[in-house]
Amino acid sequence: EAEMARARLAAIVESSDDAVIATDLDGVIASWNQGAERLYGYTAQEAIGRLVITLIPPERFGEEESMLERLRRGERINHFETVRLRKDGSAVAISLTTSPIKNAQGEVIGASRIARDITERRRAEEAIRGAYEQESAARAEAELANRLKDEFLATVSHELRSPLNSILGWSRMLSEKRLDEAKSARALEIIHNSALAQNQLIGDLLDVSRIITGKSRLEMRVIELPPIIEAATDAARPAADAKKIRLVSALDPAAGSVSGDPDRLQQIVWNLLSNAVKFTPVEGQIEVRLEREGAHVRLTLSDSGEGIEPEFLPFVFDRFRQFEGRPARVHGGLGLGLAIVRHLVELHGGTVSAASRGRGQGATFIVTLPLAASPEESSEIERARLAGAGEIPQSHAPSPDHLRDLRVLVVDDEPDARNLLGLILTSYEAEVRDCASAAEALQILDEWQPDVMVSDIGMPVEDGYELMRKVRACEPERGGLVSALALTAYARAEEAQRATAAGYQAHIPKPVEPGELATAVASLAGRGGDD
């Protein structure tokens, strides 16, 4: 029976998929099954009589010494994960269980070692771990995006409601006639400034929308940068003066021309200046420098302000990112200005970077733009610009009788908008009639023959484009050739192009300044300038 039991055990050991090895207490291999041959590559003849450390990487010899020490004490070691060497020198990951072998007197005389290849299990675990890490990273990124979105929406709500609160509050005080003359003048100033602030916020949101959808457009021409920078500096000066901040300029007039959109380039400089003014304390200093650097012009704007934390510096040009991402933040704004700067600079083929030595150490922003093309190419760019349609010449504030005796038809479905436009135009002594729909406009054109038509675009039933197509289909004596100005809250460049294609001679986005509207109408009527 004992012989039968030994034979049965030997058969089980020999047929096992695992490597089963017996060694003495010196680590000399005494038995070696087929599983060991498959795992390690040695035959039984090659392995028996060798030291087991043949299978152990040199850096893991300490494991064997510790294991033998524990075996001599009669301890069992279960599922110890380690690495062993095959005959060809390659490493294999194993799970090793080691048990003491005892004689009849209970003395430990050797060790039984069962090793299982866990390479595939390790790979599966690595794949699972990698997938988990990717999922965790994706979840963290989504959570960050959601947090940034929530913070941004909260900021938008705050920044839009703050000027709206001033507009509503002061307009109510004015309507109730509860203010004296001085306070009434102050109320009107606050309402105007609040409306300008809100318009700037909306403009930033529209700019970012165009950036995200890839619809930003530039009207390129060859220009010198000093006048652009000076205009932006003049625009930022009142805010700087209010904080007693010194604005220092060092502009090299020979820095060179660039090909660019002057309005967008001025927006770049203004955004950087406005950012610097916001974060520079009272009686600080902002320096603007323009110089030539090889085939580029280099604009450097440095301030003595709060600086930028090193951990935030890589994200300073990201959309919707503000270092003060909390409701109690000290500074206002939507966190879009620098993102818009980067996008506009890159559209011009340039680069922008930020540097700061840390909190309280000020910040420096550097914009590089390529120099303009050759004179021949520059002339071609200028010719293309001058060929553009729908442009209104700039002028100074028009005189009070700028539109005297001009007949102007105003078309807008909103009564308040019609009343405002009519009031603006009659204040310049124009003769105004208004209507709320395309059908009414066609009837008035036929009966009254206005000199200029000012029409909204976003109207129900028939919009301004459809109205213009019908107008241009009319005979000249029925108003088919009337000069027309599109006035709309759709401020994208595509809208201006679409308005021109529909038959309008010009396009002005809302909100419009009274002087700008009067100048545009006069220009379309052939008066221009200050006639």
mmCIF file of all heavy atoms in Angstrom, residues 96-141:
data_model
loop_
_atom_site.group_PDB
_atom_site.id
_atom_site.type_symbol
_atom_site.label_atom_id
_atom_site.label_comp_id
_atom_site.label_asym_id
_atom_site.label_seq_id
_atom_site.Cartn_x
_atom_site.Cartn_y
_atom_site.Cartn_z
ATOM 1 N N LEU A 96 5.502 30.967 -6.006
ATOM 2 C CA LEU A 96 6.256 29.847 -5.435
ATOM 3 C C LEU A 96 5.715 29.491 -4.050
ATOM 4 O O LEU A 96 5.577 30.364 -3.186
ATOM 5 C CB LEU A 96 7.732 30.235 -5.328
ATOM 6 C CG LEU A 96 8.701 29.205 -4.766
ATOM 7 C CD1 LEU A 96 8.776 27.982 -5.671
ATOM 8 C CD2 LEU A 96 10.094 29.829 -4.602
ATOM 9 N N THR A 97 5.388 28.208 -3.904
ATOM 10 C CA THR A 97 5.005 27.688 -2.583
ATOM 11 C C THR A 97 6.059 26.678 -2.149
ATOM 12 O O THR A 97 6.345 25.719 -2.884
ATOM 13 C CB THR A 97 3.619 27.025 -2.633
ATOM 14 O OG1 THR A 97 2.643 28.022 -2.942
ATOM 15 C CG2 THR A 97 3.289 26.382 -1.289
ATOM 16 N N THR A 98 6.641 26.875 -0.987
ATOM 17 C CA THR A 98 7.726 26.021 -0.490
ATOM 18 C C THR A 98 7.309 25.398 0.838
ATOM 19 O O THR A 98 6.844 26.107 1.750
ATOM 20 C CB THR A 98 9.010 26.846 -0.303
ATOM 21 O OG1 THR A 98 9.322 27.487 -1.529
ATOM 22 C CG2 THR A 98 10.165 25.945 0.086
ATOM 23 N N SER A 99 7.500 24.037 0.924
ATOM 24 C CA SER A 99 7.138 23.309 2.149
ATOM 25 C C SER A 99 8.324 22.479 2.626
ATOM 26 O O SER A 99 9.079 21.938 1.806
ATOM 27 C CB SER A 99 5.950 22.383 1.889
ATOM 28 O OG SER A 99 4.846 23.101 1.379
ATOM 29 N N PRO A 100 8.506 22.329 3.929
ATOM 30 C CA PRO A 100 9.590 21.479 4.447
ATOM 31 C C PRO A 100 9.273 19.986 4.256
ATOM 32 O O PRO A 100 8.111 19.576 4.353
ATOM 33 C CB PRO A 100 9.658 21.851 5.926
ATOM 34 C CG PRO A 100 8.294 22.344 6.265
ATOM 35 C CD PRO A 100 7.757 22.987 5.025
ATOM 36 N N ILE A 101 10.322 19.214 3.926
ATOM 37 C CA ILE A 101 10.204 17.749 3.876
ATOM 38 C C ILE A 101 10.842 17.195 5.140
ATOM 39 O O ILE A 101 11.989 17.523 5.466
ATOM 40 C CB ILE A 101 10.919 17.187 2.618
ATOM 41 C CG1 ILE A 101 10.281 17.758 1.335
ATOM 42 C CG2 ILE A 101 10.853 15.653 2.612
ATOM 43 C CD1 ILE A 101 11.024 17.364 0.065
ATOM 44 N N LYS A 102 10.078 16.311 5.853
ATOM 45 C CA LYS A 102 10.561 15.798 7.140
ATOM 46 C C LYS A 102 10.741 14.277 7.076
ATOM 47 O O LYS A 102 10.046 13.582 6.332
ATOM 48 C CB LYS A 102 9.573 16.157 8.248
ATOM 49 C CG LYS A 102 9.384 17.657 8.439
ATOM 50 C CD LYS A 102 8.362 17.965 9.514
ATOM 51 C CE LYS A 102 8.164 19.460 9.682
ATOM 52 N NZ LYS A 102 7.161 19.776 10.718
ATOM 53 N N ASN A 103 11.687 13.763 7.884
ATOM 54 C CA ASN A 103 11.873 12.312 7.982
ATOM 55 C C ASN A 103 10.935 11.737 9.033
ATOM 56 O O ASN A 103 10.107 12.469 9.624
ATOM 57 C CB ASN A 103 13.328 11.976 8.280
ATOM 58 C CG ASN A 103 13.796 12.570 9.599
ATOM 59 O OD1 ASN A 103 12.980 12.973 10.440
ATOM 60 N ND2 ASN A 103 15.111 12.620 9.805
ATOM 61 N N ALA A 104 11.091 10.453 9.292
ATOM 62 C CA ALA A 104 10.200 9.776 10.243
ATOM 63 C C ALA A 104 10.303 10.357 11.641
ATOM 64 O O ALA A 104 9.357 10.284 12.440
ATOM 65 C CB ALA A 104 10.502 8.274 10.275
ATOM 66 N N GLN A 105 11.427 10.908 11.981
ATOM 67 C CA GLN A 105 11.611 11.497 13.310
ATOM 68 C C GLN A 105 11.104 12.944 13.373
ATOM 69 O O GLN A 105 11.249 13.629 14.389
ATOM 70 C CB GLN A 105 13.090 11.461 13.704
ATOM 71 C CG GLN A 105 13.621 10.074 14.003
ATOM 72 C CD GLN A 105 13.845 9.275 12.734
ATOM 73 O OE1 GLN A 105 14.300 9.861 11.725
ATOM 74 N NE2 GLN A 105 13.521 7.987 12.744
ATOM 75 N N GLY A 106 10.570 13.474 12.222
ATOM 76 C CA GLY A 106 10.058 14.844 12.206
ATOM 77 C C GLY A 106 11.115 15.893 11.948
ATOM 78 O O GLY A 106 10.863 17.091 12.092
ATOM 79 N N GLU A 107 12.293 15.465 11.549
ATOM 80 C CA GLU A 107 13.370 16.422 11.262
ATOM 81 C C GLU A 107 13.254 16.905 9.809
ATOM 82 O O GLU A 107 12.941 16.129 8.907
ATOM 83 C CB GLU A 107 14.724 15.763 11.473
ATOM 84 C CG GLU A 107 14.962 15.287 12.900
ATOM 85 C CD GLU A 107 16.206 14.431 13.024
ATOM 86 O OE1 GLU A 107 16.646 13.870 11.993
ATOM 87 O OE2 GLU A 107 16.732 14.338 14.143
ATOM 88 N N VAL A 108 13.519 18.188 9.612
ATOM 89 C CA VAL A 108 13.482 18.761 8.261
ATOM 90 C C VAL A 108 14.733 18.322 7.522
ATOM 91 O O VAL A 108 15.853 18.609 7.971
ATOM 92 C CB VAL A 108 13.383 20.298 8.302
ATOM 93 C CG1 VAL A 108 13.413 20.868 6.889
ATOM 94 C CG2 VAL A 108 12.123 20.734 9.038
ATOM 95 N N ILE A 109 14.534 17.644 6.401
ATOM 96 C CA ILE A 109 15.680 17.158 5.636
ATOM 97 C C ILE A 109 15.741 17.731 4.226
ATOM 98 O O ILE A 109 16.682 17.481 3.476
ATOM 99 C CB ILE A 109 15.653 15.620 5.561
ATOM 100 C CG1 ILE A 109 14.345 15.171 4.890
ATOM 101 C CG2 ILE A 109 15.793 15.002 6.946
ATOM 102 C CD1 ILE A 109 14.292 13.674 4.621
ATOM 103 N N GLY A 110 14.717 18.473 3.837
ATOM 104 C CA GLY A 110 14.710 19.038 2.497
ATOM 105 C C GLY A 110 13.520 19.950 2.287
ATOM 106 O O GLY A 110 12.830 20.333 3.247
ATOM 107 N N ALA A 111 13.288 20.310 1.018
ATOM 108 C CA ALA A 111 12.200 21.242 0.694
ATOM 109 C C ALA A 111 11.495 20.823 -0.576
ATOM 110 O O ALA A 111 12.133 20.339 -1.520
ATOM 111 C CB ALA A 111 12.732 22.660 0.539
ATOM 112 N N SER A 112 10.184 20.983 -0.573
ATOM 113 C CA SER A 112 9.368 20.799 -1.777
ATOM 114 C C SER A 112 8.991 22.183 -2.300
ATOM 115 O O SER A 112 8.462 23.011 -1.553
ATOM 116 C CB SER A 112 8.112 19.993 -1.440
ATOM 117 O OG SER A 112 7.194 20.068 -2.508
ATOM 118 N N ARG A 113 9.272 22.390 -3.592
ATOM 119 C CA ARG A 113 9.006 23.724 -4.182
ATOM 120 C C ARG A 113 8.048 23.558 -5.362
ATOM 121 O O ARG A 113 8.357 22.842 -6.313
ATOM 122 C CB ARG A 113 10.303 24.378 -4.657
ATOM 123 C CG ARG A 113 11.364 24.488 -3.554
ATOM 124 C CD ARG A 113 12.717 24.802 -4.155
ATOM 125 N NE ARG A 113 13.785 24.754 -3.162
ATOM 126 C CZ ARG A 113 14.435 25.816 -2.709
ATOM 127 N NH1 ARG A 113 14.125 27.015 -3.173
ATOM 128 N NH2 ARG A 113 15.392 25.679 -1.810
ATOM 129 N N ILE A 114 6.903 24.219 -5.287
ATOM 130 C CA ILE A 114 5.920 24.198 -6.383
ATOM 131 C C ILE A 114 5.853 25.600 -6.987
ATOM 132 O O ILE A 114 5.528 26.569 -6.285
ATOM 133 C CB ILE A 114 4.531 23.765 -5.876
ATOM 134 C CG1 ILE A 114 4.621 22.388 -5.215
ATOM 135 C CG2 ILE A 114 3.527 23.754 -7.026
ATOM 136 C CD1 ILE A 114 3.330 21.954 -4.555
ATOM 137 N N ALA A 115 6.191 25.702 -8.280
ATOM 138 C CA ALA A 115 6.225 27.009 -8.959
ATOM 139 C C ALA A 115 5.197 27.055 -10.088
ATOM 140 O O ALA A 115 5.073 26.087 -10.849
ATOM 141 C CB ALA A 115 7.619 27.278 -9.512
ATOM 142 N N ARG A 116 4.467 28.147 -10.171
ATOM 143 C CA ARG A 116 3.470 28.326 -11.238
ATOM 144 C C ARG A 116 3.796 29.589 -12.035
ATOM 145 O O ARG A 116 4.075 30.649 -11.456
ATOM 146 C CB ARG A 116 2.078 28.441 -10.629
ATOM 147 C CG ARG A 116 0.984 28.744 -11.638
ATOM 148 C CD ARG A 116 -0.380 28.588 -11.014
ATOM 149 N NE ARG A 116 -0.619 27.192 -10.640
ATOM 150 C CZ ARG A 116 -1.721 26.783 -10.001
ATOM 151 N NH1 ARG A 116 -2.640 27.669 -9.627
ATOM 152 N NH2 ARG A 116 -1.880 25.514 -9.710
ATOM 153 N N ASP A 117 3.773 29.452 -13.352
ATOM 154 C CA ASP A 117 4.025 30.593 -14.246
ATOM 155 C C ASP A 117 2.860 31.581 -14.135
ATOM 156 O O ASP A 117 1.703 31.230 -14.398
ATOM 157 C CB ASP A 117 4.159 30.087 -15.691
ATOM 158 C CG ASP A 117 4.559 31.191 -16.667
ATOM 159 O OD1 ASP A 117 4.531 32.367 -16.280
ATOM 160 O OD2 ASP A 117 4.890 30.867 -17.834
ATOM 161 N N ILE A 118 3.138 32.819 -13.737
ATOM 162 C CA ILE A 118 2.072 33.833 -13.598
ATOM 163 C C ILE A 118 2.258 34.980 -14.600
ATOM 164 O O ILE A 118 1.738 36.073 -14.407
ATOM 165 C CB ILE A 118 2.021 34.387 -12.161
ATOM 166 C CG1 ILE A 118 3.368 35.018 -11.760
ATOM 167 C CG2 ILE A 118 1.614 33.310 -11.180
ATOM 168 C CD1 ILE A 118 3.318 35.756 -10.436
ATOM 169 N N THR A 119 3.010 34.691 -15.684
ATOM 170 C CA THR A 119 3.254 35.730 -16.693
ATOM 171 C C THR A 119 1.952 36.281 -17.262
ATOM 172 O O THR A 119 1.738 37.500 -17.330
ATOM 173 C CB THR A 119 4.138 35.187 -17.825
ATOM 174 O OG1 THR A 119 5.364 34.701 -17.277
ATOM 175 C CG2 THR A 119 4.425 36.274 -18.854
ATOM 176 N N GLU A 120 1.053 35.377 -17.687
ATOM 177 C CA GLU A 120 -0.206 35.824 -18.288
ATOM 178 C C GLU A 120 -1.061 36.557 -17.263
ATOM 179 O O GLU A 120 -1.716 37.549 -17.589
ATOM 180 C CB GLU A 120 -0.964 34.629 -18.858
ATOM 181 C CG GLU A 120 -0.316 34.004 -20.086
ATOM 182 C CD GLU A 120 -0.114 35.026 -21.201
ATOM 183 O OE1 GLU A 120 -1.024 35.856 -21.410
ATOM 184 O OE2 GLU A 120 0.958 35.014 -21.833
ATOM 185 N N ARG A 121 -1.040 36.030 -16.029
ATOM 186 C CA ARG A 121 -1.812 36.715 -15.000
ATOM 187 C C ARG A 121 -1.281 38.119 -14.764
ATOM 188 O O ARG A 121 -2.038 39.075 -14.608
ATOM 189 C CB ARG A 121 -1.761 35.911 -13.699
ATOM 190 C CG ARG A 121 -2.835 36.320 -12.710
ATOM 191 C CD ARG A 121 -2.554 35.748 -11.345
ATOM 192 N NE ARG A 121 -1.577 36.578 -10.635
ATOM 193 C CZ ARG A 121 -0.972 36.204 -9.515
ATOM 194 N NH1 ARG A 121 -1.188 34.997 -9.012
ATOM 195 N NH2 ARG A 121 -0.112 37.012 -8.917
ATOM 196 N N ARG A 122 0.057 38.258 -14.753
ATOM 197 C CA ARG A 122 0.672 39.583 -14.580
ATOM 198 C C ARG A 122 0.267 40.519 -15.724
ATOM 199 O O ARG A 122 -0.032 41.696 -15.509
ATOM 200 C CB ARG A 122 2.197 39.442 -14.540
ATOM 201 C CG ARG A 122 2.726 38.893 -13.209
ATOM 202 C CD ARG A 122 2.889 40.041 -12.215
ATOM 203 N NE ARG A 122 3.421 39.574 -10.949
ATOM 204 C CZ ARG A 122 4.724 39.517 -10.683
ATOM 205 N NH1 ARG A 122 5.624 39.854 -11.604
ATOM 206 N NH2 ARG A 122 5.129 39.116 -9.494
ATOM 207 N N ARG A 123 0.292 39.964 -16.951
ATOM 208 C CA ARG A 123 -0.099 40.793 -18.105
ATOM 209 C C ARG A 123 -1.548 41.244 -17.978
ATOM 210 O O ARG A 123 -1.883 42.407 -18.257
ATOM 211 C CB ARG A 123 0.090 40.011 -19.399
ATOM 212 C CG ARG A 123 1.551 39.849 -19.811
ATOM 213 C CD ARG A 123 1.673 38.964 -21.022
ATOM 214 N NE ARG A 123 3.076 38.755 -21.383
ATOM 215 C CZ ARG A 123 3.495 37.781 -22.175
ATOM 216 N NH1 ARG A 123 2.629 36.903 -22.681
ATOM 217 N NH2 ARG A 123 4.788 37.663 -22.458
ATOM 218 N N ALA A 124 -2.401 40.293 -17.567
ATOM 219 C CA ALA A 124 -3.811 40.660 -17.390
ATOM 220 C C ALA A 124 -3.960 41.719 -16.307
ATOM 221 O O ALA A 124 -4.732 42.684 -16.446
ATOM 222 C CB ALA A 124 -4.635 39.421 -17.047
ATOM 223 N N GLU A 125 -3.215 41.546 -15.220
ATOM 224 C CA GLU A 125 -3.280 42.528 -14.142
ATOM 225 C C GLU A 125 -2.774 43.887 -14.598
ATOM 226 O O GLU A 125 -3.340 44.927 -14.239
ATOM 227 C CB GLU A 125 -2.466 42.037 -12.938
ATOM 228 C CG GLU A 125 -3.105 40.876 -12.201
ATOM 229 C CD GLU A 125 -2.189 40.313 -11.126
ATOM 230 O OE1 GLU A 125 -0.990 40.714 -11.103
ATOM 231 O OE2 GLU A 125 -2.651 39.499 -10.317
ATOM 232 N N GLU A 126 -1.686 43.866 -15.393
ATOM 233 C CA GLU A 126 -1.144 45.127 -15.920
ATOM 234 C C GLU A 126 -2.161 45.806 -16.839
ATOM 235 O O GLU A 126 -2.337 47.028 -16.799
ATOM 236 C CB GLU A 126 0.165 44.872 -16.684
ATOM 237 C CG GLU A 126 1.362 44.609 -15.798
ATOM 238 C CD GLU A 126 1.707 45.824 -14.955
ATOM 239 O OE1 GLU A 126 1.600 46.966 -15.467
ATOM 240 O OE2 GLU A 126 2.048 45.647 -13.777
ATOM 241 N N ALA A 127 -2.827 44.970 -17.677
ATOM 242 C CA ALA A 127 -3.836 45.528 -18.580
ATOM 243 C C ALA A 127 -4.986 46.132 -17.789
ATOM 244 O O ALA A 127 -5.468 47.229 -18.084
ATOM 245 C CB ALA A 127 -4.353 44.446 -19.528
ATOM 246 N N ILE A 128 -5.403 45.392 -16.740
ATOM 247 C CA ILE A 128 -6.494 45.903 -15.900
ATOM 248 C C ILE A 128 -6.059 47.171 -15.178
ATOM 249 O O ILE A 128 -6.805 48.150 -15.109
ATOM 250 C CB ILE A 128 -6.926 44.819 -14.889
ATOM 251 C CG1 ILE A 128 -7.592 43.651 -15.621
ATOM 252 C CG2 ILE A 128 -7.862 45.399 -13.837
ATOM 253 C CD1 ILE A 128 -7.847 42.444 -14.758
ATOM 254 N N ARG A 129 -4.810 47.144 -14.666
ATOM 255 C CA ARG A 129 -4.302 48.313 -13.963
ATOM 256 C C ARG A 129 -4.209 49.512 -14.910
ATOM 257 O O ARG A 129 -4.580 50.630 -14.568
ATOM 258 C CB ARG A 129 -2.928 48.015 -13.359
ATOM 259 C CG ARG A 129 -2.419 49.126 -12.444
ATOM 260 C CD ARG A 129 -1.070 48.782 -11.840
ATOM 261 N NE ARG A 129 -1.143 47.572 -11.026
ATOM 262 C CZ ARG A 129 -0.584 46.413 -11.342
ATOM 263 N NH1 ARG A 129 0.094 46.286 -12.486
ATOM 264 N NH2 ARG A 129 -0.684 45.377 -10.537
ATOM 265 N N GLY A 130 -3.696 49.234 -16.144
ATOM 266 C CA GLY A 130 -3.593 50.319 -17.127
ATOM 267 C C GLY A 130 -4.953 50.879 -17.487
ATOM 268 O O GLY A 130 -5.134 52.097 -17.576
ATOM 269 N N ALA A 131 -5.935 49.960 -17.687
ATOM 270 C CA ALA A 131 -7.283 50.419 -18.017
ATOM 271 C C ALA A 131 -7.878 51.223 -16.868
ATOM 272 O O ALA A 131 -8.536 52.247 -17.078
ATOM 273 C CB ALA A 131 -8.175 49.217 -18.342
ATOM 274 N N TYR A 132 -7.601 50.751 -15.650
ATOM 275 C CA TYR A 132 -8.122 51.468 -14.479
ATOM 276 C C TYR A 132 -7.496 52.858 -14.376
ATOM 277 O O TYR A 132 -8.186 53.846 -14.091
ATOM 278 C CB TYR A 132 -7.839 50.663 -13.209
ATOM 279 C CG TYR A 132 -8.249 51.378 -11.947
ATOM 280 C CD1 TYR A 132 -9.597 51.462 -11.581
ATOM 281 C CD2 TYR A 132 -7.297 51.996 -11.135
ATOM 282 C CE1 TYR A 132 -9.979 52.132 -10.431
ATOM 283 C CE2 TYR A 132 -7.679 52.666 -9.982
ATOM 284 C CZ TYR A 132 -9.023 52.729 -9.634
ATOM 285 O OH TYR A 132 -9.396 53.403 -8.513
ATOM 286 N N GLU A 133 -6.164 52.905 -14.617
ATOM 287 C CA GLU A 133 -5.489 54.205 -14.544
ATOM 288 C C GLU A 133 -6.007 55.151 -15.619
ATOM 289 O O GLU A 133 -6.209 56.343 -15.375
ATOM 290 C CB GLU A 133 -3.980 54.007 -14.682
ATOM 291 C CG GLU A 133 -3.344 53.362 -13.453
ATOM 292 C CD GLU A 133 -1.882 53.032 -13.667
ATOM 293 O OE1 GLU A 133 -1.391 53.212 -14.811
ATOM 294 O OE2 GLU A 133 -1.224 52.591 -12.703
ATOM 295 N N GLN A 134 -6.233 54.600 -16.845
ATOM 296 C CA GLN A 134 -6.781 55.437 -17.915
ATOM 297 C C GLN A 134 -8.181 55.919 -17.557
ATOM 298 O O GLN A 134 -8.525 57.088 -17.773
ATOM 299 C CB GLN A 134 -6.824 54.646 -19.223
ATOM 300 C CG GLN A 134 -5.466 54.434 -19.873
ATOM 301 C CD GLN A 134 -5.587 53.689 -21.186
ATOM 302 O OE1 GLN A 134 -6.605 53.074 -21.479
ATOM 303 N NE2 GLN A 134 -4.529 53.729 -21.975
ATOM 304 N N GLU A 135 -8.984 54.983 -17.020
ATOM 305 C CA GLU A 135 -10.339 55.351 -16.632
ATOM 306 C C GLU A 135 -10.315 56.397 -15.523
ATOM 307 O O GLU A 135 -11.087 57.356 -15.536
ATOM 308 C CB GLU A 135 -11.080 54.096 -16.181
ATOM 309 C CG GLU A 135 -12.587 54.293 -15.957
ATOM 310 C CD GLU A 135 -12.923 54.759 -14.550
ATOM 311 O OE1 GLU A 135 -12.110 54.528 -13.635
ATOM 312 O OE2 GLU A 135 -13.997 55.364 -14.372
ATOM 313 N N SER A 136 -9.388 56.218 -14.564
ATOM 314 C CA SER A 136 -9.270 57.184 -13.470
ATOM 315 C C SER A 136 -8.842 58.545 -13.992
ATOM 316 O O SER A 136 -9.360 59.582 -13.568
ATOM 317 C CB SER A 136 -8.260 56.683 -12.434
ATOM 318 O OG SER A 136 -8.698 55.494 -11.840
ATOM 319 N N ALA A 137 -7.872 58.515 -14.940
ATOM 320 C CA ALA A 137 -7.406 59.780 -15.527
ATOM 321 C C ALA A 137 -8.523 60.450 -16.302
ATOM 322 O O ALA A 137 -8.716 61.677 -16.210
ATOM 323 C CB ALA A 137 -6.201 59.528 -16.429
ATOM 324 N N ALA A 138 -9.285 59.642 -17.073
ATOM 325 C CA ALA A 138 -10.397 60.201 -17.848
ATOM 326 C C ALA A 138 -11.463 60.764 -16.922
ATOM 327 O O ALA A 138 -12.028 61.834 -17.173
ATOM 328 C CB ALA A 138 -10.993 59.131 -18.758
ATOM 329 N N ARG A 139 -11.730 60.022 -15.821
ATOM 330 C CA ARG A 139 -12.723 60.494 -14.864
ATOM 331 C C ARG A 139 -12.256 61.788 -14.199
ATOM 332 O O ARG A 139 -13.041 62.732 -14.040
ATOM 333 C CB ARG A 139 -12.992 59.418 -13.812
ATOM 334 C CG ARG A 139 -14.118 59.804 -12.843
ATOM 335 C CD ARG A 139 -14.548 58.640 -11.954
ATOM 336 N NE ARG A 139 -13.461 58.170 -11.118
ATOM 337 C CZ ARG A 139 -12.868 56.995 -11.240
ATOM 338 N NH1 ARG A 139 -13.253 56.172 -12.201
ATOM 339 N NH2 ARG A 139 -11.889 56.628 -10.433
ATOM 340 N N ALA A 140 -10.963 61.829 -13.847
ATOM 341 C CA ALA A 140 -10.427 63.044 -13.222
ATOM 342 C C ALA A 140 -10.487 64.219 -14.190
ATOM 343 O O ALA A 140 -10.828 65.347 -13.796
ATOM 344 C CB ALA A 140 -8.987 62.806 -12.763
ATOM 345 N N GLU A 141 -10.181 63.930 -15.466
ATOM 346 C CA GLU A 141 -10.233 64.999 -16.474
ATOM 347 C C GLU A 141 -11.659 65.491 -16.670
ATOM 348 O O GLU A 141 -11.908 66.691 -16.794
ATOM 349 C CB GLU A 141 -9.663 64.468 -17.795
ATOM 350 C CG GLU A 141 -9.486 65.534 -18.856
ATOM 351 C CD GLU A 141 -8.801 65.014 -20.105
ATOM 352 O OE1 GLU A 141 -8.193 63.920 -20.043
ATOM 353 O OE2 GLU A 141 -8.883 65.681 -21.148
#
